[in-house]
Amino acid sequence: MAFTEFYNVFGNLELMVMSLVETIVHAMTFSIVWLIHSNNLLKIVIDEMKKDIAEHKFENSEEEIIYYNYNRISKIFTYGSNVGMLVTTLLLYFRPLMYLAITNQELRNSTESFTLPYRIHTFFDITNLRTYTLMYLYLFPMIYIAICHMAAICLVIVLVFHICGELAILSYRIRHVEENSQIMLVHRFRNIVRMHLKIIR
Protein backbone atom coordinates (compact mmCIF):
# COMPACT_ATOMS: atom_id res chain seq x y z
CA MET A 1 0.00 0.00 0.00
CA ALA A 2 2.91 2.34 0.65
CA PHE A 3 4.26 1.94 -2.89
CA THR A 4 0.79 2.64 -4.25
CA GLU A 5 0.77 5.87 -2.26
CA PHE A 6 4.10 6.80 -3.85
CA TYR A 7 2.67 6.10 -7.30
CA ASN A 8 -0.39 8.24 -6.59
CA VAL A 9 1.65 11.26 -5.49
CA PHE A 10 4.20 10.90 -8.29
CA GLY A 11 4.91 14.35 -9.68
CA ASN A 12 4.48 16.24 -6.41
CA LEU A 13 8.05 16.40 -5.10
CA GLU A 14 7.17 17.15 -1.48
CA LEU A 15 4.66 14.31 -1.19
CA MET A 16 7.00 11.96 -3.06
CA VAL A 17 9.82 12.62 -0.59
CA MET A 18 7.52 12.17 2.40
CA SER A 19 6.19 8.92 0.96
CA LEU A 20 9.66 7.65 0.07
CA VAL A 21 11.04 8.28 3.55
CA GLU A 22 8.56 5.90 5.14
CA THR A 23 8.53 3.42 2.27
CA ILE A 24 12.31 3.05 2.14
CA VAL A 25 12.56 2.58 5.91
CA HIS A 26 9.92 -0.15 5.83
CA ALA A 27 11.56 -1.86 2.86
CA MET A 28 14.96 -1.72 4.58
CA THR A 29 13.52 -3.15 7.77
CA PHE A 30 11.92 -6.08 5.99
CA SER A 31 15.20 -6.72 4.15
CA ILE A 32 17.32 -6.57 7.31
CA VAL A 33 15.01 -8.82 9.31
CA TRP A 34 14.84 -11.30 6.44
CA LEU A 35 18.64 -11.32 6.10
CA ILE A 36 19.11 -11.88 9.82
CA HIS A 37 16.53 -14.65 9.80
CA SER A 38 17.96 -16.47 6.79
CA ASN A 39 21.69 -15.88 7.29
CA ASN A 40 23.30 -19.05 8.62
CA LEU A 41 26.68 -17.37 9.13
CA LEU A 42 25.13 -14.83 11.49
CA LYS A 43 23.52 -17.64 13.47
CA ILE A 44 26.94 -19.28 13.84
CA VAL A 45 28.47 -15.98 15.00
CA ILE A 46 25.71 -15.50 17.57
CA ASP A 47 26.16 -19.07 18.84
CA GLU A 48 29.91 -18.52 19.12
CA MET A 49 29.33 -15.30 21.02
CA LYS A 50 26.98 -17.05 23.45
CA LYS A 51 29.58 -19.78 23.95
CA ASP A 52 32.31 -17.17 24.51
CA ILE A 53 30.23 -15.40 27.13
CA ALA A 54 29.33 -18.65 28.90
CA GLU A 55 32.90 -19.99 28.91
CA HIS A 56 34.75 -16.70 29.34
CA LYS A 57 37.89 -17.18 31.39
CA PHE A 58 39.51 -13.95 32.44
CA GLU A 59 43.09 -14.24 33.63
CA ASN A 60 42.72 -11.34 36.02
CA SER A 61 40.31 -8.65 37.11
CA GLU A 62 41.79 -6.14 34.66
CA GLU A 63 40.70 -8.26 31.70
CA GLU A 64 37.24 -8.57 33.19
CA ILE A 65 37.00 -4.79 33.55
CA ILE A 66 38.18 -4.30 29.96
CA TYR A 67 35.59 -6.71 28.56
CA TYR A 68 32.68 -5.47 30.65
CA ASN A 69 33.40 -1.86 29.69
CA TYR A 70 32.63 -2.78 26.09
CA ASN A 71 29.68 -4.86 27.21
CA ARG A 72 28.29 -1.94 29.21
CA ILE A 73 28.58 0.41 26.23
CA SER A 74 26.66 -2.01 24.02
CA LYS A 75 23.94 -2.40 26.67
CA ILE A 76 23.58 1.37 27.06
CA PHE A 77 23.29 1.77 23.30
CA THR A 78 20.79 -1.07 23.01
CA TYR A 79 18.52 0.08 25.82
CA GLY A 80 18.74 3.74 24.91
CA SER A 81 18.12 3.27 21.21
CA ASN A 82 15.24 0.82 21.70
CA VAL A 83 13.51 3.08 24.22
CA GLY A 84 14.12 6.08 21.98
CA MET A 85 12.76 4.24 18.96
CA LEU A 86 9.69 3.08 20.88
CA VAL A 87 8.92 6.60 22.13
CA THR A 88 9.47 8.11 18.68
CA THR A 89 7.32 5.49 16.99
CA LEU A 90 4.50 5.90 19.49
CA LEU A 91 4.59 9.67 19.10
CA LEU A 92 4.46 9.35 15.33
CA TYR A 93 1.64 6.84 15.58
CA PHE A 94 -0.48 9.01 17.86
CA ARG A 95 0.33 12.26 16.03
CA PRO A 96 -2.90 12.25 13.97
CA LEU A 97 -4.96 11.64 17.11
CA MET A 98 -3.29 14.58 18.82
CA TYR A 99 -4.07 16.70 15.77
CA LEU A 100 -7.70 15.59 15.88
CA ALA A 101 -7.90 16.42 19.57
CA ILE A 102 -6.53 19.92 19.00
CA THR A 103 -8.68 20.83 16.00
CA ASN A 104 -12.42 20.75 16.01
CA GLN A 105 -13.34 18.02 13.54
CA GLU A 106 -16.89 19.27 13.12
CA LEU A 107 -15.68 22.59 11.72
CA ARG A 108 -13.59 20.83 9.11
CA ASN A 109 -15.03 19.81 5.77
CA SER A 110 -16.86 16.53 6.29
CA THR A 111 -15.66 15.13 2.95
CA GLU A 112 -12.02 15.55 3.91
CA SER A 113 -10.21 12.32 4.77
CA PHE A 114 -8.81 11.70 8.19
CA THR A 115 -5.03 11.52 8.48
CA LEU A 116 -3.51 8.10 9.09
CA PRO A 117 -0.29 7.62 11.05
CA TYR A 118 1.54 6.16 8.03
CA ARG A 119 1.40 7.24 4.42
CA ILE A 120 -0.49 4.49 2.67
CA HIS A 121 -3.00 4.42 -0.11
CA THR A 122 -6.36 3.18 1.05
CA PHE A 123 -8.60 1.59 -1.53
CA PHE A 124 -11.71 2.80 0.23
CA ASP A 125 -13.04 6.00 1.72
CA ILE A 126 -11.94 6.74 5.30
CA THR A 127 -14.06 9.84 5.89
CA ASN A 128 -16.34 7.68 8.03
CA LEU A 129 -15.18 7.67 11.68
CA ARG A 130 -15.77 3.93 12.10
CA THR A 131 -13.74 3.05 8.98
CA TYR A 132 -11.02 5.45 10.03
CA THR A 133 -10.81 3.90 13.50
CA LEU A 134 -10.58 0.38 12.09
CA MET A 135 -7.89 1.44 9.61
CA TYR A 136 -6.01 3.25 12.36
CA LEU A 137 -6.03 0.12 14.53
CA TYR A 138 -5.05 -1.97 11.52
CA LEU A 139 -1.85 0.09 11.23
CA PHE A 140 -0.87 -0.42 14.87
CA PRO A 141 1.42 -3.42 14.13
CA MET A 142 3.56 -1.09 12.00
CA ILE A 143 5.09 0.06 15.29
CA TYR A 144 6.66 -3.37 15.50
CA ILE A 145 8.51 -2.73 12.23
CA ALA A 146 10.41 0.20 13.73
CA ILE A 147 11.29 -1.85 16.80
CA CYS A 148 12.53 -4.69 14.54
CA HIS A 149 14.65 -2.22 12.61
CA MET A 150 16.34 -0.96 15.75
CA ALA A 151 16.69 -4.46 17.18
CA ALA A 152 18.51 -5.58 14.02
CA ILE A 153 20.90 -2.65 14.30
CA CYS A 154 21.43 -3.36 18.01
CA LEU A 155 22.25 -6.99 17.26
CA VAL A 156 25.06 -5.91 14.96
CA ILE A 157 26.28 -3.35 17.52
CA VAL A 158 26.35 -5.98 20.30
CA LEU A 159 28.33 -8.35 18.06
CA VAL A 160 30.81 -5.60 17.17
CA PHE A 161 31.32 -4.59 20.80
CA HIS A 162 31.79 -8.23 21.80
CA ILE A 163 34.56 -8.58 19.22
CA CYS A 164 36.05 -5.26 20.36
CA GLY A 165 36.11 -6.55 23.94
CA GLU A 166 37.82 -9.75 22.83
CA LEU A 167 40.40 -7.79 20.84
CA ALA A 168 40.99 -5.45 23.78
CA ILE A 169 41.70 -8.46 26.03
CA LEU A 170 44.03 -9.88 23.39
CA SER A 171 45.83 -6.55 23.16
CA TYR A 172 46.14 -6.44 26.95
CA ARG A 173 47.63 -9.94 27.01
CA ILE A 174 50.14 -9.08 24.29
CA ARG A 175 51.22 -5.93 26.15
CA HIS A 176 51.76 -7.93 29.34
CA VAL A 177 53.34 -11.01 27.79
CA GLU A 178 56.77 -10.28 29.31
CA GLU A 179 55.36 -10.74 32.81
CA ASN A 180 55.48 -14.51 32.35
CA SER A 181 58.54 -16.66 32.81
CA GLN A 182 60.48 -17.94 29.79
CA ILE A 183 59.04 -21.44 30.26
CA MET A 184 55.48 -20.14 30.17
CA LEU A 185 56.21 -17.79 27.27
CA VAL A 186 55.78 -20.42 24.53
CA HIS A 187 52.50 -21.57 26.03
CA ARG A 188 51.42 -17.96 26.37
CA PHE A 189 52.18 -17.17 22.73
CA ARG A 190 50.31 -20.27 21.63
CA ASN A 191 47.23 -19.15 23.57
CA ILE A 192 47.47 -15.63 22.15
CA VAL A 193 47.66 -16.93 18.59
CA ARG A 194 44.72 -19.28 19.19
CA MET A 195 42.67 -16.44 20.64
CA HIS A 196 43.54 -14.19 17.71
CA LEU A 197 42.59 -16.85 15.17
CA LYS A 198 39.33 -17.48 16.99
CA ILE A 199 38.43 -13.78 16.96
CA ILE A 200 39.19 -13.22 13.27
CA ARG A 201 37.49 -16.46 12.26
Side-chain angles (χ1 to χ4, degrees), residues 3 11 15 23-24 26 48 50 53-55 61 71 83 98-99 120 128 138 153 162 192 197:
F3 289 106
L15 292 177
T23 306
I24 288 174
H26 293 153
E48 284 293 320
K50 285 180 184 176
I53 292 171
E55 300 171 354
S61 61
N71 189 280
V83 168
M98 290 186 279
Y99 176 73
I120 60 167
N128 180 353
Y138 173 75
I153 292 170
H162 173 73
I192 287 172
L197 289 173

Side-chain angles (χ1 to χ4, degrees), residues 4-187:
T4 310
E5 171 69 15
F6 177 73
Y7 178 77
N8 286 339
V9 298
F10 195 80
N12 185 336
L13 185 61
E14 183 181 349
L15 292 177
M16 282 173 57
V17 169
M18 290 171 72
S19 179
L20 267 179
V21 167
E22 289 183 13
T23 306
I24 288 174
V25 169
H26 293 153
M28 279 177 29
T29 303
F30 284 125
S31 303
I32 290 170
V33 171
W34 180 77
L35 281 172
I36 287 174
H37 178 70
S38 63
N39 192 339
N40 289 329
L41 181 61
L42 193 58
K43 291 175 186 174
I44 292 168
V45 170
I46 292 170
D47 288 340
E48 284 293 320
M49 187 181 95
K50 285 180 184 176
K51 197 184 301 180
D52 282 350
I53 292 171
E55 300 171 354
H56 223 291
K57 295 179 180 75
F58 301 109
E59 292 184 357
N60 54 42
S61 61
E62 189 68 31
E63 288 183 2
E64 194 171 353
I65 291 168
I66 289 169
Y67 179 78
Y68 284 118
N69 278 338
Y70 285 97
N71 189 280
R72 184 173 42 84
I73 293 168
S74 70
K75 281 183 180 178
I76 290 170
F77 178 83
T78 301
Y79 295 142
S81 58
N82 279 323
V83 168
M85 180 59 81
L86 181 63
V87 169
T88 304
T89 308
L90 287 174
L91 286 174
L92 287 173
Y93 182 77
F94 291 116
R95 178 185 53 187
L97 292 181
M98 290 186 279
Y99 176 73
L100 284 175
I102 292 170
T103 61
N104 187 355
Q105 185 62 29
E106 293 173 6
L107 296 176
R108 298 174 70 204
N109 188 354
S110 61
T111 59
E112 185 181 341
S113 267
F114 291 101
T115 307
L116 290 171
Y118 301 105
R119 294 190 166 280
I120 60 167
H121 176 71
T122 54
F123 297 100
F124 45 84
D125 188 27
I126 57 167
T127 55
N128 180 353
L129 185 61
R130 181 178 178 275
T131 310
Y132 172 72
T133 306
L134 290 173
M135 192 64 190
Y136 204 96
L137 292 173
Y138 173 75
L139 291 175
F140 185 76
M142 296 288 279
I143 291 173
Y144 185 68
I145 291 174
I147 302 300
C148 286
H149 185 82
M150 189 49 68
I153 292 170
C154 288
L155 174 65
V156 174
I157 295 293
V158 167
L159 290 172
V160 167
F161 273 105
H162 173 73
I163 292 170
C164 287
E166 294 284 330
L167 286 171
I169 290 172
L170 180 64
S171 173
Y172 174 82
R173 288 180 182 174
I174 291 171
R175 280 196 314 271
H176 295 87
V177 74
E178 72 278 353
E179 294 174 4
N180 295 305
S181 64
Q182 290 295 327
I183 300 165
M184 295 291 292
L185 203 56
V186 175
H187 178 69

